[in-house]
Amino acid sequence: MRISARTQYALRAATELAAAPPGPVPAEKIAVSQNIPRRFLDNILLQLRRAGLIHSQRGPDGGYWLARPAEEITLADVIMVVEGSPEHSRHGGYPGVAGPLADVWSLLREHEETLLTEITLAHITKDASRRPPRR
Amino acid sequence: MRISARTQYALRAATELAAAPPGPVPAEKIAVSQNIPRRFLDNILLQLRRAGLIHSQRGPDGGYWLARPAEEITLADVIMVVEGSPEHSRHGGYPGVAGPLADVWSLLREHEETLLTEITLAHITKDASRRPPRR
DNA sequence: CACCTAACCGACTTATTAAGTAGGAATTAG
DNA sequence: CTAATTCCTACTTAATAAGTCGGTTAGGTG
């Protein structure tokens, strides 16, 4: 299970926003506290904003903040933005005896999706070691 | 959840061996029936052999066969060989509030490992839509 | 208005990994 | 000997990830 740096950065940045007191948080601050390359982060935040996940404000005392309460933003929400559409990878329909392998990928993908859709940014800032609701 | 072509090829090849009647199966046959680039497959089979997962025989009527019964080779066995050691990816210990994110990756990795360790080649050749034992 | 801060933007470069190829050498059956 | 088939290293190419650059635009403050 591979998770790109970009995805991790996005999640960490979002978490940072979720944990911050109300009001704009400048990218610079996030970059420093999460140790993320500044320019790269700009890039990512821009993408999150375009997707409507966060809002922004320019100028002095500007920055970013979550568009919705942290309880209503799931990890999957963030991931889908930065990784793009699932793009239905082609492990559907292997030849002959290998056919059933595809079912295994489905199972895995399904579980992953379920989990990431259940966990919100609020869960993370609170404490992710505590499991998410109803499993 | 990304699965490399190499990994998929390895699994499909192994499945092919599991499904074949006893005796050596030439690489060429696997390449054709699973539609895998021949040279690349050679490469992969070599790796599986070196890891002791399959045996081989050269010369006419040579080929490959499983080193152990299909019931005793899990998907994880095959995957670990071709993907190399897990290499403990560095999503351990994020700064500050993002720390708990690591727990999520752990959960996912754990589940994935569990599932892949439960499913054997025999399950695949039999029918993977039927779930593996005790979940 | 001047000036500073910080977001905005597309294109570009570099590093890493994946995917596949090449060219043979070594074995073994017949 | 010959043909089949594995064995082996190294190489090339394609794709993706990661990060950089050079600015532009908007907003607040004195």
Side-chain angles (χ1 to χ4, degrees):
Chain A
M1 184 233 324
R2 163 91 188 145
I3 304 147
S4 71
R6 185 178 186 89
T7 298
Q8 298 183 49
Y9 289 159
L11 252 4
R12 284 158 61 188
T15 302
E16 204 69 30
L17 293 182
V25 181
E28 181 63 23
K29 194 172 174 191
I30 301 174
V32 168
S33 61
Q34 284 297 321
N35 194 32
I36 299 172
R38 175 59 212 275
R39 295 287 218 159
F40 198 16
L41 178 60
D42 269 4
N43 198 309
I44 294 166
L45 289 170
L46 188 56
Q47 193 175 15
L48 292 178
R49 200 218 38 160
R50 281 174 171 159
L53 233 64
I54 62 180
H55 289 145
S56 63
Q57 163 77 39
R58 301 215 254 202
D61 276 318
Y64 298 89
W65 63 96
L66 297 180
R68 310 196 304 261
E71 289 78 20
E72 295 172 21
I73 300 180
T74 70
L75 301 191
D77 289 333
V78 177
I79 292 172
M80 285 213 294
V81 168
V82 296
E83 308 224 303
S85 50
E87 186 180 334
H88 287 128
S89 30
R90 274 294 154 277
H91 10 85
Y94 292 132
V97 293
L101 270 175
D103 299 342
V104 178
W105 308 143
S106 292
L107 262 183
L108 280 174
R109 199 145 31 85
E110 210 175 282
H111 176 265
E112 174 178 306
E113 195 179 310
T114 301
L115 189 69
L116 295 176
T117 302
E118 276 174 353
I119 304 181
T120 69
L121 294 180
H123 290 129
I124 302 297
T125 58
K126 197 170 190 184
D127 178 3
S129 72
R130 222 90 44 251
R131 289 307 194 293
R134 25 128 240 255
R135 276 210 52 67
Chain B
M1 182 233 325
R2 162 90 187 146
I3 305 147
S4 72
R6 187 179 185 87
T7 298
Q8 297 183 49
Y9 289 160
L11 252 4
R12 284 158 61 187
T15 302
E16 204 70 29
L17 293 182
V25 181
E28 180 62 24
K29 193 172 173 190
I30 301 175
V32 169
S33 62
Q34 284 297 322
N35 195 32
I36 299 172
R38 176 58 211 276
R39 294 287 219 163
F40 197 16
L41 177 61
D42 269 4
N43 199 308
I44 294 166
L45 289 170
L46 188 56
Q47 194 174 14
L48 293 177
R49 201 217 39 160
R50 280 174 171 158
L53 232 64
I54 62 181
H55 289 145
S56 62
Q57 162 77 39
R58 301 213 256 202
D61 276 318
Y64 300 89
W65 62 95
L66 298 180
R68 309 196 305 260
E71 288 77 20
E72 294 172 21
I73 300 180
T74 70
L75 301 192
D77 289 333
V78 177
I79 292 172
M80 286 214 292
V81 169
V82 297
E83 308 224 304
S85 51
E87 187 179 333
H88 287 129
S89 29
R90 276 290 155 279
H91 10 86
Y94 291 133
V97 292
L101 269 177
D103 299 342
V104 177
W105 308 143
S106 292
L107 262 185
L108 280 175
R109 200 144 31 84
E110 210 175 281
H111 176 266
E112 174 177 306
E113 195 177 311
T114 301
L115 189 68
L116 294 177
T117 302
E118 277 174 351
I119 304 182
T120 68
L121 294 180
H123 289 129
I124 301 296
T125 57
K126 198 171 187 184
D127 178 3
S129 70
R130 224 110 16 263
R131 288 308 195 292
R134 32 138 231 247
R135 276 212 52 66

